[in-house]
Amino acid sequence: MFFSLSMIGCLEPTDRDLPNIIIIYTDDQGYADLSCYGATDIRTPNIDKLAQEGLLLTDFYVAQPVCTASRVALLTGCYPNRLGMHGALMPGSNKGIHPDETTLAEMLKGIGYQCGIFGKWHLGSEEPFHPLNNGFDSYYGIPYSNDMWPNHPWQDSIFDFPPLPLYEDFQVVDTLEDQSELTRNITLKALEFIETHAESNFLVYIPHPQPHVPLYASDHLRGTSARGLYGDVIQELDWSTGQIMYKLEELDLTDKTWIIFASDNGPWLSYGAHSGQAGPLREGKGTVWEGGVRVPCIMRYPSKFSKGKVINTPVMNIDIMPTIATITGAPMPANPIDGVNVWDVLNNQTTESPQEAYYFYYHTNELQALRVGNYKLILPHSFRTLGEGTAGRTDGLPIPYQYVSIAKPELYDLSKDPGERYDLAEENQNIVDSLMVYASQMRMKLGDSLTGFIGTESRKPGQHVIKE
């Protein structure tokens, strides 16, 4: 039986055919690192098949171009700075996701879903922030990025990381000295969870630690790609995605399962051959240029979505949670969030975004850019870059960034210039002025450390701190 969206909120859970949800979230994967996004030296047949059987989003964004902040946005539907969160949390940090915030897992668990996470958490490594204390029923993976370990190449000069723990639920079951089998083992644990809960509704969240450096691929895929070790890693992630697809088919769950495949931010370009590629987009991870915040995103839900549809309408990861709430009938969080329901965009009912604007913060609450329609306004700020034509190293070690300051607003028409090469601000001051109104409104709400605005709607910045 089919129910319209207007009816969903009135239905009891027993009256709905609720979807299973699988979110595959890779780490530092570039926009151009999949065959279906233009890669010619990496083979991704399983992810390509997802696109052929579902939706390929050309303009999918993350709220911030960095690990922790991107995951906060996905799992809470909030701009991370609304919650006082930014950057990438370090091991042992006293910060993390606050218990008063509702995660996607908590929202779905409230209507009977079984929720598992398999991969990298990175919303806090202390016990109050643990996944099992924030809605998940099962956990297998690492608490933060895979380079936060004693083998970090800068260990002696900058960091003093402890051993990298591998968790199963609350228990540390290993400390990793080699990560070659991590993608494979994460996949096997996710498959086991799906099979165990095949008769229930489930959320399976697979935030892969790869292709974040250091790069690791298992023996059966190492050396198989035309793009070296980085390509091998992506092809193993494709293998992993294929295993999930095959398991759903085996259990006759394909039609009722919504798969979302995306990356947490753009490529970490300073790592050269060990980083991904942003293709036509400018810059990468750690910047609010398109290469940092626009990422590959593919969705498949055979009983609801058209096959082979390309979605050009902007969508952000903050919109995932409220859209899932809409189609499942789950109650929205009590605290205000920033995402909106984009089901009509995904379901081919409209090409108009329900969001008036998308905002891009970075560092400690710096509003650095915003997008309205096809226009993107870059606000005055400093950003990191390798400079034009810098290829980087091939040995897995980074090269240093340069820092460049933008003194006045810049305007780009992304429909014609996704690479943000041609600043239109000078001849379109009226458009700049209209977009600056949006910037002023957001500064009043969530603040902006670049201009001194505090913000009236942000949760207290220290709200998520467990100790001083």
Side-chain angles (χ1 to χ4, degrees):
M1 181 179 294
F2 173 79
F3 298 96
S4 71
L5 290 180
S6 61
M7 296 168 64
I8 280 180
C10 302
L11 297 174
E12 294 299 322
T14 54
D15 294 327
R16 292 192 306 272
D17 184 17
L18 298 180
N20 300 312
I21 308 290
I22 297 178
I23 301 176
I24 302 170
Y25 213 52
T26 59
D27 198 328
D28 291 0
Q29 184 174 0
Y31 188 81
D33 291 339
L34 301 171
S35 303
C36 51
Y37 280 84
T40 58
D41 51 359
I42 300 177
R43 291 177 284 110
T44 54
N46 295 302
I47 299 170
D48 296 348
K49 184 180 179 183
L50 272 185
Q52 292 160 5
E53 296 176 348
L55 313 177
L56 185 148
L57 284 73
T58 64
D59 292 50
F60 184 83
Y61 290 98
V62 294
Q64 285 195 27
V66 67
C67 300
T68 295
S70 178
R71 286 162 170 73
V72 166
L74 175 71
L75 292 180
T76 68
C78 294
Y79 285 114
N81 43 300
R82 177 182 285 277
L83 310 186
M85 301 278 282
H86 62 275
L89 293 173
M90 291 291 183
S93 172
N94 63 349
K95 296 182 180 180
I97 183 71
H98 193 275
D100 288 349
E101 303 299 337
T102 301
T103 67
L104 176 61
E106 288 172 315
M107 181 185 81
L108 291 176
K109 188 172 182 178
I111 59 170
Y113 276 66
Q114 297 294 312
C115 303
I117 170 175
F118 308 93
K120 166 181 157 180
W121 173 236
H122 218 171
L123 268 67
S125 57
E126 298 299 299
E127 186 171 342
F129 314 132
H130 191 282
L132 268 60
N133 289 327
N134 287 278
F136 288 96
D137 302 293
S138 296
Y139 171 41
Y140 178 86
I142 58 177
Y144 32 73
S145 293
N146 68 324
D147 66 337
M148 295 178 178
W149 69 332
N151 296 330
H152 193 288
W154 292 346
Q155 178 78 3
D156 292 339
S157 59
I158 298 179
F159 302 116
D160 185 22
F161 289 128
L164 180 62
L166 177 66
Y167 277 84
E168 185 153 17
D169 294 335
F170 282 112
Q171 295 297 120
V172 176
V173 295
D174 198 1
T175 51
L176 296 177
E177 297 182 4
D178 185 320
Q179 299 178 30
S180 299
E181 294 299 313
L182 188 54
T183 297
R184 177 179 177 84
N185 290 337
I186 285 168
T187 304
L188 294 176
K189 290 292 184 179
L191 294 173
E192 180 182 333
F193 184 89
I194 291 170
E195 186 151 18
T196 299
H197 299 290
E199 301 300 319
S200 309
N201 288 114
F202 56 75
L203 164 68
V204 174
Y205 174 43
I206 310 174
H208 282 291
Q210 294 288 310
H212 193 293
V213 292
L215 299 178
Y216 282 93
S218 58
D219 289 342
H220 78 290
L221 279 162
R222 195 177 179 97
T224 63
S225 163
R227 204 195 288 181
L229 180 56
Y230 184 87
D232 299 344
V233 168
I234 299 299
Q235 291 185 177
E236 183 156 37
L237 295 173
D238 180 76
W239 167 85
S240 173
T241 303
Q243 294 301 301
I244 300 296
M245 296 163 66
Y246 301 148
K247 179 59 68 175
L248 294 175
E249 185 175 346
E250 174 189 317
L251 298 172
D252 196 26
L253 295 176
T254 297
D255 283 350
K256 67 169 296 185
T257 302
W258 180 6
I259 297 179
I260 301 169
F261 180 100
S263 176
D264 70 337
N265 48 246
W268 202 347
L269 296 175
S270 65
Y271 280 86
H274 281 229
S275 83
Q277 297 178 5
L281 308 180
R282 183 173 175 179
E283 299 296 344
K285 174 181 179 175
T287 77
V288 299
W289 299 101
E290 292 291 284
V293 293
R294 192 195 295 202
V295 297
C297 181
I298 295 161
M299 301 184 184
R300 188 187 74 174
Y301 186 1
S303 62
K304 302 296 182 185
F305 295 156
S306 301
K307 288 187 177 182
K309 181 71 175 176
V310 176
I311 302 292
N312 302 123
T313 307
V315 174
M316 186 178 276
N317 61 353
I318 59 174
D319 300 323
I320 298 300
M321 183 182 191
T323 305
I324 291 174
T326 297
I327 67 167
T328 61
M332 291 285 285
N335 289 328
I337 69 170
D338 300 293
V340 301
N341 168 30
V342 293
W343 180 256
D344 284 351
V345 172
L346 303 178
N347 205 27
N348 204 25
Q349 300 301 306
T350 182
T351 59
E352 296 296 321
S353 174
Q355 293 269 24
E356 283 192 319
Y358 285 111
Y359 300 90
F360 302 99
Y361 279 81
Y362 193 52
H363 292 311
T364 308
N365 209 36
E366 293 184 5
L367 180 58
Q368 296 186 352
L370 61 109
R371 176 171 177 172
V372 177
N374 288 325
Y375 286 106
K376 182 159 172 204
L377 186 69
I378 302 292
L379 298 165
H381 72 280
S382 295
F383 69 95
R384 69 189 194 186
T385 182
L386 296 177
E388 292 291 334
T390 305
R393 298 169 58 141
T394 61
D395 58 1
L397 295 175
I399 62 174
Y401 285 104
Q402 309 166 29
Y403 284 83
V404 176
S405 294
I406 296 175
K408 59 183 180 179
E410 297 181 4
L411 179 70
Y412 299 92
D413 182 349
L414 297 178
S415 66
K416 301 174 182 176
D417 179 26
E420 298 167 294
R421 304 298 178 192
Y422 308 104
D423 178 12
L424 306 176
E426 188 172 338
E427 60 266 37
N428 292 279
Q429 189 60 48
N430 59 325
I431 298 175
V432 172
D433 290 343
S434 66
L435 268 59
M436 286 299 296
V437 173
Y438 287 95
S440 296
Q441 291 171 345
M442 182 53 81
R443 286 166 174 158
M444 294 297 292
K445 290 180 180 180
L446 299 187
D448 175 21
S449 59
L450 287 170
T451 53
F453 281 83
I454 302 300
T456 60
E457 295 185 11
S458 296
R459 326 273 208 256
K460 292 180 180 179
Q463 187 182 34
H464 50 290
V465 175
I466 58 171
K467 61 189 179 215
E468 293 298 338

